Amino acid sequence: MTCCGPGYASPEEAIRAPREKLLYTIAIYTGTGIQKPDYLATVDADPESPTYSQVIHRLEMPGIGDELHHMGWNACSSCHDDASMSRKYLLLPGVRSNNIHVVDTATDPRAPRLHKVIDGAEIKAKTNLSGPHTVHCLGSEIIISFLGDAMGEAPGGYLHLNKDFEIVGRWENSMGDIPFGYDFWYQPRHNVMVSSEWAAPNTFMPGFDLEEVGHLKYGRRLHFWDFEKRVPVESMYLGEDGLIPLEVKFHHNPDSMHGFCGAALSTNVIHFWKSDAGRWEWEKIIDVENEPHPQWPIPVPGVMSAILVSMDDRYLYLNNWLHGDMRQYDITDPHDPKLTGQVWMGGLLGKAPEVNGVKVAGGPQMFQLSLDGRRLYVTTSLFSTWDNQFYPEIRTQGGVMVMIDCDVENGGMQINEDFIVDFGREPNGPSRCHETRYPGGDCTSDIWL
């Protein structure tokens, strides 16, 4: 069946798509002391281009202090059969400002332009939400998780936008007794959505305080939703194995009932699945040990702030932001992952202070995988106040983007020596790079109905 809507008919078709030639990455000045707007940087990812591995365009936001963080498309493979839709707009929420910037990437992909700003004050007034995070499209609709209410207290909820970026209202019919929000992913064929937990904006925005984990101000649960009814129906308490469960991903295969969550502070991967008896189960499948550090009173946790599943569902990638390593696991058997690759870049353990001649401030944090699974683009900034707390030198050195070559046949990872983007050398001074997207879609957003 040939469709003319956005995205791909299946994950298998996405893997065969043309190689990405442009990357869009968020670059922030929030928290650096430089009074300039955050911006969307366009990076040339075409090895045949004379400007390969360089920032070739910068789209500044209208205001200062947004703290751009995560972003997402207006349309994905969920509307592949809708010829009236196109993957034209990238939504860039500001976690601090609450503004959602709608960016036109289709008119000139090398030089995106601002299409519209959804005013953060209007969102607060109409929906009592603040702290936007994850953006997902579902057909022509857009759902965005928010971490707090208008006053910055948990649990927040979900903003519902229509295809013209007008506020419909709150997406969920109830938050039940969910204490915190963060990331979410859904499998429409199974009528399920899974959401995870960080903390209230008022808790995490000033910086990280370990005591607040003990005071239960950070999450340790996963929540399963009836997707059609838009209500949570079951919660899993992960306890000490699931301290601050952040990114949650299902298999890309829309028929699969398997998913994964990375618990940042306990540095574990949680595998969840629906059993033959129809019950949701969970288990810890990866446990990264804390490491001693001469300047720390306690062993340093890895801080697994992100995970990603390859489009063929064979590999899971994770980061250890404080340790400084990226890992690749073969998850052919999701109950029994095998470590197949590991590389070092930055981090507190001192294993790779420099990459390709550039000193790395920070550690591997956000990452995006090419659709064919062969290239992993990694950036180093987590959140401005947390960056400044754990990696104070990032204020003056800025962030970096590194590319890792991934062996999809045998497993394995290797840092590409020809690619590095040093955001410490930006025209307005050092900035920090966070999440990355491609014009043709990517491994962390497309959902199949």
Side-chain angles (χ1 to χ4, degrees), residues 271-286:
H271 166 228
F272 55 87
W273 72 98
K274 200 167 194 178
S275 70
D276 293 339
R279 286 194 304 270
W280 287 103
E281 311 274 357
W282 72 273
E283 63 187 350
K284 176 177 70 175
I285 55 169
I286 297 167

Side-chain angles (χ1 to χ4, degrees), residues 198-218:
W198 191 9
N202 291 344
T203 299
F204 70 76
M205 281 192 181
F208 179 67
D209 181 349
L210 185 60
E211 284 191 2
E212 293 188 318
V213 177
H215 296 155
L216 305 182
K217 289 192 170 185
Y218 282 88

